[in-house]
mmCIF file of all heavy atoms in Angstrom:
data_model
loop_
_atom_site.group_PDB
_atom_site.id
_atom_site.type_symbol
_atom_site.label_atom_id
_atom_site.label_comp_id
_atom_site.label_asym_id
_atom_site.label_seq_id
_atom_site.Cartn_x
_atom_site.Cartn_y
_atom_site.Cartn_z
ATOM 1 N N LEU A 1 43.540 25.307 15.461
ATOM 2 C CA LEU A 1 42.505 26.257 15.080
ATOM 3 C C LEU A 1 41.221 25.581 14.720
ATOM 4 O O LEU A 1 40.132 25.940 15.195
ATOM 5 C CB LEU A 1 43.008 27.119 13.934
ATOM 6 C CG LEU A 1 42.053 28.167 13.406
ATOM 7 C CD1 LEU A 1 41.841 29.296 14.416
ATOM 8 C CD2 LEU A 1 42.523 28.752 12.066
ATOM 9 N N PHE A 2 41.313 24.552 13.849
ATOM 10 C CA PHE A 2 40.090 23.888 13.388
ATOM 11 C C PHE A 2 39.509 22.938 14.452
ATOM 12 O O PHE A 2 38.311 22.677 14.408
ATOM 13 C CB PHE A 2 40.336 23.162 12.073
ATOM 14 C CG PHE A 2 40.311 24.121 10.898
ATOM 15 C CD1 PHE A 2 41.512 24.658 10.442
ATOM 16 C CD2 PHE A 2 39.133 24.465 10.272
ATOM 17 C CE1 PHE A 2 41.505 25.550 9.350
ATOM 18 C CE2 PHE A 2 39.115 25.356 9.202
ATOM 19 C CZ PHE A 2 40.295 25.890 8.733
ATOM 20 N N ASP A 3 40.330 22.465 15.383
ATOM 21 C CA ASP A 3 39.786 21.690 16.498
ATOM 22 C C ASP A 3 38.928 22.603 17.382
ATOM 23 O O ASP A 3 37.884 22.184 17.875
ATOM 24 C CB ASP A 3 40.913 21.111 17.356
ATOM 25 C CG ASP A 3 41.522 19.881 16.726
ATOM 26 O OD1 ASP A 3 40.930 19.323 15.773
ATOM 27 O OD2 ASP A 3 42.588 19.420 17.190
ATOM 28 N N ARG A 4 39.363 23.852 17.533
ATOM 29 C CA ARG A 4 38.642 24.766 18.432
ATOM 30 C C ARG A 4 37.421 25.409 17.741
ATOM 31 O O ARG A 4 36.435 25.686 18.430
ATOM 32 C CB ARG A 4 39.615 25.857 18.913
ATOM 33 C CG ARG A 4 39.083 26.691 20.089
ATOM 34 C CD ARG A 4 39.084 25.887 21.353
ATOM 35 N NE ARG A 4 38.423 26.572 22.433
ATOM 36 C CZ ARG A 4 38.996 27.491 23.200
ATOM 37 N NH1 ARG A 4 40.256 27.836 22.999
ATOM 38 N NH2 ARG A 4 38.315 28.088 24.174
ATOM 39 N N PHE A 5 37.525 25.680 16.457
ATOM 40 C CA PHE A 5 36.433 26.319 15.704
ATOM 41 C C PHE A 5 36.074 25.485 14.506
ATOM 42 O O PHE A 5 36.307 25.867 13.347
ATOM 43 C CB PHE A 5 36.819 27.731 15.303
ATOM 44 C CG PHE A 5 37.294 28.611 16.407
ATOM 45 C CD1 PHE A 5 38.631 28.901 16.607
ATOM 46 C CD2 PHE A 5 36.366 29.143 17.311
ATOM 47 C CE1 PHE A 5 39.082 29.738 17.625
ATOM 48 C CE2 PHE A 5 36.782 29.965 18.379
ATOM 49 C CZ PHE A 5 38.130 30.244 18.546
ATOM 50 N N PRO A 6 35.486 24.308 14.698
ATOM 51 C CA PRO A 6 35.264 23.392 13.597
ATOM 52 C C PRO A 6 34.230 23.855 12.580
ATOM 53 O O PRO A 6 34.179 23.384 11.457
ATOM 54 C CB PRO A 6 34.829 22.091 14.270
ATOM 55 C CG PRO A 6 34.248 22.539 15.584
ATOM 56 C CD PRO A 6 35.070 23.744 16.002
ATOM 57 N N GLU A 7 33.326 24.785 12.989
ATOM 58 C CA GLU A 7 32.245 25.199 12.118
ATOM 59 C C GLU A 7 32.364 26.644 11.644
ATOM 60 O O GLU A 7 31.363 27.190 11.121
ATOM 61 C CB GLU A 7 30.896 24.990 12.838
ATOM 62 C CG GLU A 7 30.654 23.570 13.305
ATOM 63 C CD GLU A 7 30.587 22.597 12.130
ATOM 64 O OE1 GLU A 7 30.146 22.993 11.040
ATOM 65 O OE2 GLU A 7 31.005 21.436 12.315
ATOM 66 N N MET A 8 33.519 27.266 11.770
ATOM 67 C CA MET A 8 33.649 28.657 11.320
ATOM 68 C C MET A 8 33.491 28.731 9.797
ATOM 69 O O MET A 8 33.780 27.772 9.081
ATOM 70 C CB MET A 8 34.957 29.258 11.770
ATOM 71 C CG MET A 8 36.202 28.646 11.186
ATOM 72 S SD MET A 8 37.692 29.465 11.780
ATOM 73 C CE MET A 8 38.949 28.335 11.199
ATOM 74 N N THR A 9 33.017 29.884 9.330
ATOM 75 C CA THR A 9 32.768 30.070 7.888
ATOM 76 C C THR A 9 33.274 31.401 7.431
ATOM 77 O O THR A 9 33.358 32.369 8.221
ATOM 78 C CB THR A 9 31.268 29.982 7.599
ATOM 79 O OG1 THR A 9 30.579 30.996 8.373
ATOM 80 C CG2 THR A 9 30.684 28.614 7.943
ATOM 81 N N LEU A 10 33.617 31.484 6.143
ATOM 82 C CA LEU A 10 33.942 32.786 5.536
ATOM 83 C C LEU A 10 32.678 33.643 5.475
ATOM 84 O O LEU A 10 31.557 33.138 5.287
ATOM 85 C CB LEU A 10 34.469 32.574 4.133
ATOM 86 C CG LEU A 10 35.899 32.084 3.955
ATOM 87 C CD1 LEU A 10 36.169 31.732 2.500
ATOM 88 C CD2 LEU A 10 36.895 33.129 4.446
ATOM 89 N N THR A 11 32.848 34.953 5.608
ATOM 90 C CA THR A 11 31.703 35.857 5.560
ATOM 91 C C THR A 11 31.502 36.370 4.113
ATOM 92 O O THR A 11 30.518 37.071 3.862
ATOM 93 C CB THR A 11 31.891 37.040 6.491
ATOM 94 O OG1 THR A 11 33.036 37.799 6.102
ATOM 95 C CG2 THR A 11 32.032 36.581 7.915
ATOM 96 N N VAL A 12 32.418 36.069 3.222
ATOM 97 C CA VAL A 12 32.298 36.454 1.796
ATOM 98 C C VAL A 12 32.667 35.223 0.990
ATOM 99 O O VAL A 12 33.225 34.252 1.462
ATOM 100 C CB VAL A 12 33.224 37.642 1.423
ATOM 101 C CG1 VAL A 12 32.847 38.857 2.236
ATOM 102 C CG2 VAL A 12 34.686 37.250 1.676
ATOM 103 N N GLU A 13 32.347 35.286 -0.315
ATOM 104 C CA GLU A 13 32.803 34.230 -1.214
ATOM 105 C C GLU A 13 34.306 34.322 -1.362
ATOM 106 O O GLU A 13 34.885 35.377 -1.312
ATOM 107 C CB GLU A 13 32.126 34.382 -2.573
ATOM 108 C CG GLU A 13 30.623 34.134 -2.576
ATOM 109 C CD GLU A 13 30.284 32.725 -2.125
ATOM 110 O OE1 GLU A 13 30.960 31.778 -2.569
ATOM 111 O OE2 GLU A 13 29.342 32.569 -1.306
ATOM 112 N N PRO A 14 34.956 33.170 -1.559
ATOM 113 C CA PRO A 14 36.427 33.178 -1.650
ATOM 114 C C PRO A 14 36.977 34.176 -2.712
ATOM 115 O O PRO A 14 37.969 34.834 -2.476
ATOM 116 C CB PRO A 14 36.778 31.713 -2.033
ATOM 117 C CG PRO A 14 35.657 30.935 -1.454
ATOM 118 C CD PRO A 14 34.439 31.793 -1.592
ATOM 119 N N ASP A 15 36.286 34.304 -3.854
ATOM 120 C CA ASP A 15 36.789 35.206 -4.894
ATOM 121 C C ASP A 15 36.507 36.660 -4.576
ATOM 122 O O ASP A 15 36.913 37.561 -5.324
ATOM 123 C CB ASP A 15 36.236 34.814 -6.280
ATOM 124 C CG ASP A 15 34.693 34.863 -6.330
ATOM 125 O OD1 ASP A 15 34.081 35.252 -5.344
ATOM 126 O OD2 ASP A 15 34.173 34.513 -7.385
ATOM 127 N N GLU A 16 35.794 36.919 -3.469
ATOM 128 C CA GLU A 16 35.530 38.293 -3.066
ATOM 129 C C GLU A 16 36.583 38.795 -2.050
ATOM 130 O O GLU A 16 36.593 39.979 -1.689
ATOM 131 C CB GLU A 16 34.143 38.417 -2.421
ATOM 132 C CG GLU A 16 33.016 38.194 -3.414
ATOM 133 C CD GLU A 16 31.647 38.213 -2.763
ATOM 134 O OE1 GLU A 16 31.580 38.066 -1.513
ATOM 135 O OE2 GLU A 16 30.652 38.367 -3.461
ATOM 136 N N LEU A 17 37.468 37.923 -1.613
ATOM 137 C CA LEU A 17 38.565 38.350 -0.691
ATOM 138 C C LEU A 17 39.486 39.294 -1.455
ATOM 139 O O LEU A 17 39.872 39.022 -2.606
ATOM 140 C CB LEU A 17 39.320 37.127 -0.194
ATOM 141 C CG LEU A 17 38.553 36.203 0.774
ATOM 142 C CD1 LEU A 17 39.304 34.893 0.994
ATOM 143 C CD2 LEU A 17 38.281 36.903 2.091
ATOM 144 N N GLU A 18 39.877 40.362 -0.782
ATOM 145 C CA GLU A 18 40.709 41.364 -1.409
ATOM 146 C C GLU A 18 42.156 40.923 -1.453
ATOM 147 O O GLU A 18 42.744 40.609 -0.405
ATOM 148 C CB GLU A 18 40.591 42.690 -0.631
ATOM 149 C CG GLU A 18 41.270 43.865 -1.259
ATOM 150 C CD GLU A 18 40.424 44.491 -2.347
ATOM 151 O OE1 GLU A 18 39.239 44.099 -2.521
ATOM 152 O OE2 GLU A 18 40.911 45.422 -3.039
ATOM 153 N N PRO A 19 42.780 40.864 -2.651
ATOM 154 C CA PRO A 19 44.179 40.445 -2.720
ATOM 155 C C PRO A 19 45.118 41.522 -2.148
ATOM 156 O O PRO A 19 44.793 42.722 -2.157
ATOM 157 C CB PRO A 19 44.439 40.241 -4.197
ATOM 158 C CG PRO A 19 43.489 41.182 -4.862
ATOM 159 C CD PRO A 19 42.237 41.153 -4.007
ATOM 160 N N MET A 20 46.255 41.094 -1.694
ATOM 161 C CA MET A 20 47.291 42.034 -1.296
ATOM 162 C C MET A 20 47.731 42.815 -2.538
ATOM 163 O O MET A 20 47.757 42.283 -3.619
ATOM 164 C CB MET A 20 48.489 41.317 -0.689
ATOM 165 C CG MET A 20 48.218 40.623 0.607
ATOM 166 S SD MET A 20 49.602 39.559 1.149
ATOM 167 C CE MET A 20 50.869 40.799 1.391
ATOM 168 N N PRO A 21 48.118 44.095 -2.396
ATOM 169 C CA PRO A 21 48.475 44.913 -3.554
ATOM 170 C C PRO A 21 49.900 44.631 -3.998
ATOM 171 O O PRO A 21 50.826 45.447 -3.849
ATOM 172 C CB PRO A 21 48.322 46.336 -3.028
ATOM 173 C CG PRO A 21 48.649 46.235 -1.586
ATOM 174 C CD PRO A 21 48.121 44.890 -1.137
ATOM 175 N N THR A 22 50.094 43.453 -4.605
ATOM 176 C CA THR A 22 51.457 43.036 -4.923
ATOM 177 C C THR A 22 51.458 41.925 -5.927
ATOM 178 O O THR A 22 50.514 41.134 -5.985
ATOM 179 C CB THR A 22 52.212 42.595 -3.631
ATOM 180 O OG1 THR A 22 53.503 42.141 -3.952
ATOM 181 C CG2 THR A 22 51.462 41.435 -2.949
ATOM 182 N N PHE A 23 52.530 41.842 -6.738
ATOM 183 C CA PHE A 23 52.748 40.644 -7.541
ATOM 184 C C PHE A 23 53.870 39.786 -6.937
ATOM 185 O O PHE A 23 54.230 38.738 -7.463
ATOM 186 C CB PHE A 23 53.073 40.967 -9.000
ATOM 187 C CG PHE A 23 54.318 41.803 -9.205
ATOM 188 C CD1 PHE A 23 55.582 41.285 -9.068
ATOM 189 C CD2 PHE A 23 54.189 43.146 -9.593
ATOM 190 C CE1 PHE A 23 56.705 42.077 -9.260
ATOM 191 C CE2 PHE A 23 55.335 43.933 -9.803
ATOM 192 C CZ PHE A 23 56.579 43.396 -9.609
ATOM 193 N N ILE A 24 54.428 40.224 -5.778
ATOM 194 C CA ILE A 24 55.514 39.522 -5.138
ATOM 195 C C ILE A 24 54.963 38.441 -4.190
ATOM 196 O O ILE A 24 55.403 37.316 -4.195
ATOM 197 C CB ILE A 24 56.440 40.484 -4.380
ATOM 198 C CG1 ILE A 24 57.121 41.442 -5.366
ATOM 199 C CG2 ILE A 24 57.503 39.724 -3.580
ATOM 200 C CD1 ILE A 24 57.947 42.535 -4.709
ATOM 201 N N MET A 25 54.023 38.841 -3.352
ATOM 202 C CA MET A 25 53.394 37.932 -2.409
ATOM 203 C C MET A 25 52.019 37.472 -2.889
ATOM 204 O O MET A 25 51.408 38.129 -3.725
ATOM 205 C CB MET A 25 53.283 38.593 -1.025
ATOM 206 C CG MET A 25 54.644 38.922 -0.397
ATOM 207 S SD MET A 25 55.591 37.432 0.001
ATOM 208 C CE MET A 25 57.166 38.197 0.473
ATOM 209 N N ASN A 26 51.529 36.398 -2.312
ATOM 210 C CA ASN A 26 50.224 35.873 -2.681
ATOM 211 C C ASN A 26 49.399 35.646 -1.411
ATOM 212 O O ASN A 26 49.604 34.662 -0.724
ATOM 213 C CB ASN A 26 50.371 34.550 -3.455
ATOM 214 C CG ASN A 26 49.040 33.900 -3.811
ATOM 215 O OD1 ASN A 26 48.098 34.627 -4.145
ATOM 216 N ND2 ASN A 26 48.967 32.587 -3.714
#
């Protein structure tokens, strides 16, 4: 993945990513 797209970027700040609605999975 990173060989093919070495310069890809997140479109939001990491802490703005929406967590899954669970305490079981992360």
Side-chain angles (χ1 to χ4, degrees):
L1 179 70
F2 281 93
D3 281 349
R4 194 71 188 278
F5 305 105
E7 301 299 328
M8 64 179 169
T9 58
L10 284 171
T11 62
V12 298
E13 293 298 317
D15 59 4
E16 293 176 342
L17 292 169
E18 188 80 7
M20 295 171 64
T22 178
F23 60 74
I24 297 174
M25 296 294 172
N26 177 38

